Structures are given as structure tokens and as C-alpha cells.
Amino acid sequence: KAGVTQTPRYLIKTRGQQVTLSCSPISGHRSVSWYQQTPGQGLQFLFEYFSETQRNKGNFPGRFSGRQFSNSRSEMNVSTLELGDSALYLCASSLITGSDSPLHFGNGTRLTVT
Amino acid sequence: KNQVEQSPQSLIILEGKNCTLQCNYTVSPFSNLRWYKQDTGRGPVSLTIMTFSENTKSNGRYTATLDADTKQSSLHITASQLSDSASYICVVGPLGDMRFGAGTRLTVKP
């Protein structure tokens, strides 16, 4: 079974631009969640989608948004990029939503904002 | 203040030795505690998930313990291998409200 796939692997953008990241979950997984990882703040939860509905959202500004499609693939968008948005963005999928569901992470998209 | 504190911040051990990583949390209410291994440049990989009623859980050479009364967990690695060199992250809370530790950076030297 293929793992969680994130594209692109690396991205360089300029302040003020917007960016869209993509995540393809493991086949059959319906929950997709997104995380930001930086050296200073560590891992932080962004949001979770299940069956095309946003179930939970972390403490991030409205510039961060996401969506999930009927095939469970998900995208996240960051508008008006700031230097502080430079980070590794990780996506994880799980079979179901719920507190004990194992999460399967992709290898992330490394975003650099200049 | 982070609600999940991990120690030590970094650790260097010789191949074949055992080690123990610590995780203290103040997250409440408690739902579960997870340990992840993250190799450089890759996404985290789940090692164990423990609920309130579980004291110990093993995954090969990795054994996690949980004391819900003292809100402490440990990850014990037995007979370390070079491939164990990675960051180990403790995560507490349900999906959607997870609190992450800053991780312990483990280096295993030959």
C-alpha cells in the first residue's frame, strides 16, 4: 500500500505570495490532518478534515486554509505569505477520525519564504 | 508554557546500549499519549499509542510506559542501533487538540 504522498517536496516563495500544498492519503483513509513544524515552535496542529468537512482547527490565522475532496485528497493554502511561514508542512492520514486513530505522516513539503 | 515537556533535549549513546527518554505532561483531560520517531528530512513514524488504562506498550525494541497519576511517560530503547538516530516526539491529546513535545534528539554512535 502506498504511503501518504505530499507534493511538492520543496517550495520557495516570496513574501506576499500564496501557496497551495497537496496531500494524497493512504487509500481508504478518510481523515487528513495538517501540521506545521519549525525549529522554534516544533510541531503544531493546523486542521483536520474528515469526509470533506473540517472537524478541528488549530490556533493559526485565517491565512491558513484547507479543503478535502471526495477522494479524500486534501490541499492546504497559505495566502499573503510571511517570512515566519517558512516551515516543514506535514500531512497525516488515518482510517477514521477519533482519539486513538493511528496517524500516518507524509514526508512533508519544505516551504521557504524569502 | 508547553504542556508536554521532554527530556533530555539531546542524547548521545554507543551502539548496543540502552536508553530511556522522558515525557512529562500537564494536558488535561487525558485521552492518549503517542510516541513518534522522526528521521531527519522525513515525516514522523508512530511507535506507540497508549490510552489512560495502559501502563506499558512495546513495539520491537521500543517500550513505552505511562503513569497517568504522575503524568509521566518514558520510551525505553533496547540494544540501540545506528538507525535509531532520530528525534523522538511525545504527543498528548486527541486528534484535533494534540500537544507536542519539543522532542529528544538521539544520536547513536558506533
Side-chain angles (χ1 to χ4, degrees):
Chain A
K1 220 178 210 182
V4 176
T5 303
Q6 292 188 246
T7 56
R9 192 80 169 88
Y10 301 94
L11 207 47
I12 300 175
K13 290 286 188 178
T14 305
R15 267 181 304 176
Q17 288 185 314
Q18 75 164 20
V19 67
T20 298
L21 312 181
S22 180
C23 173
S24 293
I26 291 173
S27 178
H29 285 196
R30 295 169 60 193
S31 171
V32 174
S33 49
W34 288 88
Y35 305 82
Q36 182 194 67
Q37 187 174 35
T38 61
Q41 297 295 320
L43 268 165
Q44 293 180 281
F45 169 76
L46 280 159
F47 29 66
E48 184 215 356
Y49 286 87
F50 182 79
S51 294
E52 302 178 64
T53 302
Q54 187 180 87
R55 284 183 52 86
N56 298 287
K57 191 177 191 304
N59 190 24
F60 278 82
R63 299 185 298 107
F64 291 81
S65 63
R67 60 177 175 168
Q68 186 180 33
F69 302 96
S70 58
N71 61 359
S72 294
R73 191 178 70 84
S74 178
E75 290 181 345
M76 69 163 279
N77 184 276
V78 188
S79 62
T80 319
L81 284 166
E82 300 177 359
L83 294 178
D85 296 334
S86 294
L88 179 66
Y89 289 89
L90 292 160
C91 158
S93 75
S94 60
L95 193 58
I96 57 174
T97 189
S99 61
D100 299 339
S101 301
L103 294 179
H104 301 266
F105 283 86
N107 287 327
T109 293
R110 173 74 63 186
L111 172 65
T112 302
V113 182
T114 63
Chain B
K1 188 178 188 298
N2 196 352
Q3 295 177 291
V4 180
E5 300 285 347
Q6 290 188 244
S7 62
Q9 193 172 23
S10 62
L11 184 62
I12 301 174
I13 62 173
L14 291 176
E15 187 179 12
K17 298 296 186 182
N18 303 336
C19 68
T20 300
L21 314 181
Q22 299 290 342
C23 174
N24 296 338
Y25 62 92
T26 58
V27 177
S28 183
F30 177 86
S31 61
N32 60 54
L33 187 145
R34 306 166 187 245
W35 283 96
Y36 285 93
K37 176 188 178 189
Q38 186 174 23
D39 292 319
T40 302
R42 300 182 72 84
V45 174
S46 179
L47 295 175
T48 63
I49 302 173
M50 286 188 293
T51 59
F52 184 88
S53 59
E54 294 174 299
N55 305 110
T56 304
K57 203 157 208 180
S58 291
N59 178 359
R61 294 180 298 101
Y62 301 99
T63 299
T65 64
L66 173 64
D67 186 332
D69 291 332
T70 61
K71 297 187 176 181
Q72 295 180 324
S73 176
S74 64
L75 180 69
H76 186 74
I77 304 174
T78 304
S80 62
Q81 300 176 358
L82 297 179
S83 59
D84 292 331
S85 293
S87 288
Y88 291 83
I89 302 170
C90 173
V91 187
V92 182
L95 182 60
D97 194 22
M98 286 178 162
R99 309 304 169 95
F100 297 87
T104 292
R105 179 70 206 175
L106 174 66
T107 302
V108 180
K109 293 199 168 183

